[in-house]
């Protein structure tokens, strides 16, 4: 839940923790600080202006940019979590508590075809999870957020090609970005709790 200035819920707590010497110069501190400001940007961004395109097309690109900004913030907080939990690789989390949003995303056949097309020549867990999602065997919308983010940055995604020619499809991507922002905010709070617990155990 963003604060009035669109910073993370526990931004004030993080400001206090940063004043302690143990967190001034390390990877966790840098990642959590970057997260705070990327999160603020993701929450503050509302629209973009594109000359020469239809209003709904503009809304479609705005929705995907919101998702990209949300994922950019998420990348930072999961980088901090990786160090705190002493993992060797970044974890892509699961968000399975949004069945209505999952069902709406599945209805967008053009988005499905685009994402599966971008993943066709790839191997790995993301391709597997996206296929499982569209088969209806999981409501994990994180795989769709990841695939859409990758397609927006590196693949063939366009607003029209992704089926964002109707308001319901645009709203679904908007909602996906919002869910990812909220999840990242919760993950940020969990990271701060782990830092506090570690400090307490070292006393």
């Amino acid at each position: 839940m963003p604060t009035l200035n669109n910073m993370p819920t526990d931004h004030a707590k993080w400001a206090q923790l940063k004043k302690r010497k143990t967190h001034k110069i390390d990877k966790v501190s840098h990642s959590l600080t970057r997260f705070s400001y990327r999160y603020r940007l993701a929450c503050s961004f509302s629209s973009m202006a594109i000359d020469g395109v239809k209003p709904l097309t503009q809304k479609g690109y705005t929705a995907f940019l919101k998702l990209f900004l949300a994922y950019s913030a998420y990348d930072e907080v999961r980088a901090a979590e990786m160090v705190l939990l002493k993992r060797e690789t970044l974890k892509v989390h699961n968000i399975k508590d949004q069945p209505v949003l999952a069902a709406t995303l599945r209805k967008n056949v053009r988005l499905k075809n685009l994402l599966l097309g971008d993943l066709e020549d790839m191997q790995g867990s993301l391709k597997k999870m996206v296929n499982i999602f569209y088969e209806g065997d999981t409501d994990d919308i994180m795989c769709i957020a990841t695939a859409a983010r990758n397609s927006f940055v590196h693949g063939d995604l366009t607003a029209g090609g992704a089926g964002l020619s109707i308001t319901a499809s645009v709203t679904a991507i908007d909602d996906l970005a919002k869910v990812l922002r909220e999840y990242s905010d919760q993950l940020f709070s969990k990271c701060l709790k782990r830092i506090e617990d570690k400090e307490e155990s070292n006393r």
Side-chain angles (χ1 to χ4, degrees):
M1 188 75 168
T3 57
L4 288 177
N5 59 355
N6 282 333
M7 296 299 277
T9 301
D10 285 329
H11 176 68
K13 180 188 287 186
W14 175 231
Q16 292 300 314
L17 284 171
K18 281 197 298 182
K19 293 178 181 178
R20 302 173 190 172
K21 290 183 179 179
T22 53
H23 303 297
K24 281 190 175 179
I25 306 175
D26 64 14
K27 291 181 180 179
V28 172
S29 179
H30 287 309
S31 289
L32 292 179
T33 298
R34 282 196 298 267
F35 165 77
S36 296
Y37 292 105
R38 289 188 182 188
Y39 176 84
R40 181 175 67 178
L41 175 59
C43 290
S44 300
F45 178 78
S46 59
S47 64
M48 61 191 296
I50 310 174
D51 293 336
V53 301
K54 295 178 180 179
L56 193 55
T57 300
Q58 179 172 299
K59 288 181 180 178
Y61 280 113
T62 294
F64 278 119
L65 187 51
K66 286 180 180 179
L67 179 60
F68 168 74
L69 292 173
Y71 211 101
S72 178
Y74 167 68
D75 273 339
E76 290 298 339
V77 75
R78 71 185 181 126
E81 182 198 49
M82 181 183 74
V83 176
L84 287 169
L85 296 181
K86 298 181 180 179
R87 292 193 180 116
E88 293 185 1
T89 58
L90 290 169
K91 177 181 179 180
V92 177
H93 298 80
N94 305 116
I95 304 178
K96 299 181 179 181
D97 61 347
Q98 300 287 332
V100 175
L101 177 55
T104 302
L105 289 166
R106 284 193 197 96
K107 291 177 182 177
N108 187 340
V109 177
R110 295 183 72 177
L111 177 63
K112 171 186 174 180
N113 292 338
L114 186 146
L115 296 183
L116 291 176
D118 276 351
L119 293 168
E120 185 175 0
D121 297 326
M122 296 184 182
Q123 301 296 323
S125 59
L126 180 58
K127 179 179 180 179
K128 179 180 178 180
M129 286 304 300
V130 171
N131 275 295
I132 291 173
F133 174 86
Y134 280 117
E135 288 168 1
D137 294 329
T138 181
D139 285 334
D140 180 17
I141 58 175
M142 181 59 89
C143 66
I144 301 304
T146 302
R149 176 264 181 198
N150 291 350
S151 185
F152 181 64
V153 178
H154 305 294
D156 296 328
L157 190 148
T158 63
L164 268 65
S165 54
I166 60 174
T167 301
S169 296
V170 174
T171 300
I173 300 301
D174 270 335
D175 290 344
L176 184 58
K178 180 181 178 182
V179 169
L180 184 55
R181 291 195 304 267
E182 291 174 347
Y183 187 89
S184 298
D185 187 34
Q186 294 167 11
L187 193 57
F188 176 75
S189 296
K190 289 178 180 178
C191 286
L192 300 192
K193 180 66 166 57
R194 181 164 288 275
I195 290 171
E196 289 179 317
D197 290 345
K198 184 178 180 180
E199 287 187 342
E200 187 65 29
S201 66
N202 290 336
R203 288 177 183 171

